[in-house]
Amino acid sequence: MFQYFQSLKPVQLTMLSLMTACPTLLYAESPNSNEQQLHLEIQDLRSRLEKLQAQVDASAVSSSSMTVQPSGTAKGTEPKQASEKLVGSNVSVGSAISDTQLHLYGFVRADASYQFKGGNGIFNHINKADLQGTTTHQDQFYTTVTTSRIGLDLKTKIADQEVGGKLEFDFRGGTDASAARVRHAYITYQNWLIGQTTSNFLANEFIPEIVDFGSPVGVGTIRTPMLRYSNRFSPATQYSVALEQGRSDNRFPTLTGKLQYKFPKNKGSIALRGLTQEVRANTTDPKTALSWGVALGAGYHVTNRLTLKGDYSHIKGDDRFMLYSNTAFDTTTTSHLNLNEFDTLSLGLTYQFMPTLRGTFGYGAILANTNNAYAQKARSSHDTTQNKQLQQGWINLMYSPVAPLTFGIEYIYGERQTFDGVVGKDSRIETMVRYNF
């Protein structure tokens, strides 16, 4: 009985007290001849209190959630409640099937640069920089806001199974780089990912910070359609294997793998990656060859202020996964493909001068194999579109006076050299302002 009274709400206790006390008080002050009248008044009071309780309960329900009759709900069954809650950039949307959490994110970004010499465009074109003796590209000022980005993360549970997804796009699509472009679009279920995202062969967390949206030499940023499986050997060691879209002429997907270890105390991580694929030339007599690559990268917080990042890869027969690389092969022979082969390297040091100011010094390079048939063909034909080596260095400052806002300024200098020794130079200043949301 005591537990029953404990479970009553304050309004219910008040009702019970009034209904118990009122008959006693009224009966004590009334003569016996008025007993029937008193009972009628008590009944009326009880009715009024019950109506009051119903109004309180209805108000509590309407203020906390909204009940919706979903389409297709069977007659006579009680539908589940659906609610929508907005807190900052997080939204929770419920339905009769599941509750879905939505996270809206992105940034508004404006870029401006002055190209002293080299490429044609606001961002990195080191592999196409003007060679000595040519003046195809004049010095020029560029601006754009097409790097602005918006994305949506989704997470829900269906039958106690977690399902997630991501949709992210910017405005760097189309021939004029102003149309909406899908960056990420995928679904995750248990350990599986289906859709488009950054290649499993890459590790963008090891790219030194750079203002240039096109990214530096020596790294890759490609996002490909894939089917990926991920799991862990231990809390600190995880692995993933994926089948990814390769070159458009390939018959089969590219197989990629990654093994990553996280250092204790959130000091950073190290990752070993690999890829293999069959490349095919789209000719009247198609030829195929085995293409492969290996990579190793790491990022480490030396101190609370100093962070080091680096990545190395060796690739044969591919031109998609690493930025600014030569074509995958040439078809000058009738019996086989001449594959390109090259090494890439990126290194960076970031120092946090104060909570609002940090700076990065970085270096990137692509060094081609100069002793294979591919290099001999490019050298003998004086091919100016293929490069023996690319090198690039940059230094920048990032200033964040308040959390959402970042200003950046950067100087970049680079050189390219063709297989027959002709050199081209790249020199520019870039600035950026970004507001994250």
Side-chain angles (χ1 to χ4, degrees), residues 83-101:
S83 63
E84 179 173 328
K85 183 179 181 182
L86 178 64
V87 181
S89 59
N90 295 298
V91 179
S92 295
V93 179
S95 70
I97 300 176
S98 63
D99 290 324
T100 301
Q101 296 178 352

Side-chain angles (χ1 to χ4, degrees), residues 121-418:
I122 186 170
F123 299 125
N124 206 350
H125 292 81
I126 180 63
N127 59 321
K128 299 177 181 179
D130 276 344
L131 296 172
Q132 291 175 335
T134 63
T135 55
T136 304
H137 305 144
Q138 302 292 332
D139 59 322
Q140 189 169 341
F141 176 72
Y142 298 93
T143 62
T144 187
V145 294
T146 60
T147 58
S148 299
R149 183 183 307 173
I150 188 168
L152 188 66
D153 288 325
L154 305 93
K155 188 192 305 184
T156 188
K157 278 192 175 182
I158 300 177
D160 295 329
Q161 297 294 326
E162 188 169 288
V163 180
K166 178 187 283 288
L167 179 62
E168 179 185 295
F169 63 92
D170 62 13
F171 304 92
R172 297 291 296 168
T175 56
D176 60 351
S178 61
R181 174 185 67 167
V182 175
R183 291 172 53 87
H184 303 274
Y186 62 78
I187 298 170
T188 58
Y189 175 68
Q190 294 183 343
N191 296 334
W192 295 92
L193 179 146
I194 304 171
Q196 175 176 298
T197 190
T198 304
S199 171
N200 192 44
F201 179 69
L202 306 177
N204 288 351
E205 63 269 33
F206 303 143
I207 299 178
E209 187 169 34
I210 188 169
V211 172
D212 191 319
F213 187 82
S215 299
V217 168
V219 306
T221 61
I222 187 170
R223 295 167 293 276
T224 66
M226 69 176 68
L227 171 65
R228 190 182 73 192
Y229 176 83
S230 304
N231 211 330
R232 294 181 178 273
F233 291 122
S234 69
T237 307
Q238 63 182 28
Y239 68 91
S240 53
V241 180
L243 293 175
E244 305 184 22
Q245 174 68 50
R247 302 181 80 253
S248 59
D249 295 330
N250 290 5
R251 292 186 297 175
F252 309 111
T254 301
L255 175 64
T256 63
K258 179 189 292 186
L259 178 65
Q260 187 162 6
Y261 172 76
K262 292 185 178 180
F263 298 120
K265 301 180 180 179
N266 295 321
K267 283 289 189 177
S269 63
I270 185 170
L272 176 66
R273 296 105 64 197
L275 73 84
T276 183
Q277 61 184 337
E278 180 196 68
V279 293
R280 181 170 66 168
N282 186 17
T283 61
T284 55
D285 181 23
K287 308 178 186 69
T288 62
L290 178 65
S291 167
W292 58 273
V294 293
L296 178 66
Y300 192 77
H301 301 295
V302 181
T303 68
N304 291 335
R305 293 191 173 190
L306 180 63
T307 300
L308 299 179
K309 294 182 178 181
D311 197 56
Y312 165 80
S313 67
H314 181 89
I315 297 175
K316 184 174 183 178
D318 184 75
D319 56 3
R320 295 185 72 246
F321 289 92
M322 305 305 292
L323 292 167
Y324 317 117
S325 57
N326 295 324
T327 56
F329 50 77
D330 71 64
T331 57
T332 55
T333 63
T334 58
S335 58
H336 63 278
L337 299 178
N338 291 327
L339 301 181
N340 74 343
E341 190 169 6
F342 58 95
D343 298 286
T344 73
L345 176 68
S346 68
L347 296 170
L349 180 155
T350 298
Y351 190 78
Q352 191 81 39
F353 297 101
M354 58 184 68
T356 58
L357 182 66
R358 64 185 181 276
T360 296
F361 174 75
Y363 171 81
I366 294 180
L367 306 174
N369 184 333
T370 59
N371 298 318
N372 57 9
Y374 182 95
Q376 292 172 6
K377 167 64 168 53
R379 188 161 42 244
S380 63
S381 63
H382 303 287
D383 189 345
T384 60
T385 63
Q386 310 304 313
N387 297 293
K388 174 184 176 181
Q389 66 180 31
L390 300 172
Q391 298 186 77
Q392 194 171 62
W394 68 95
I395 185 169
N396 63 46
L397 288 174
M398 299 286 191
Y399 176 61
S400 300
V402 292
L405 192 62
T406 301
F407 297 90
I409 185 169
E410 177 174 84
Y411 175 71
I412 298 179
Y413 177 82
E415 292 185 355
R416 78 169 175 123
Q417 182 179 348
T418 64

Side-chain angles (χ1 to χ4, degrees), residues 53-125:
Q53 176 64 41
Q55 292 174 358
V56 172
D57 290 342
S59 177
V61 170
S62 62
S63 64
S64 61
S65 62
M66 178 176 60
T67 301
V68 178
Q69 180 72 30
S71 60
T73 302
K75 184 178 180 180
T77 61
E78 184 176 352
K80 295 184 179 180
Q81 290 183 344
S83 63
E84 179 173 328
K85 183 179 181 182
L86 178 64
V87 181
S89 59
N90 295 298
V91 179
S92 295
V93 179
S95 70
I97 300 176
S98 63
D99 290 324
T100 301
Q101 296 178 352
L102 308 179
H103 174 66
L104 180 68
Y105 67 92
F107 53 73
V108 178
R109 172 170 163 157
D111 293 270
S113 73
Y114 193 89
Q115 184 89 37
F116 298 106
K117 61 177 63 176
N120 180 25
I122 186 170
F123 299 125
N124 206 350
H125 292 81

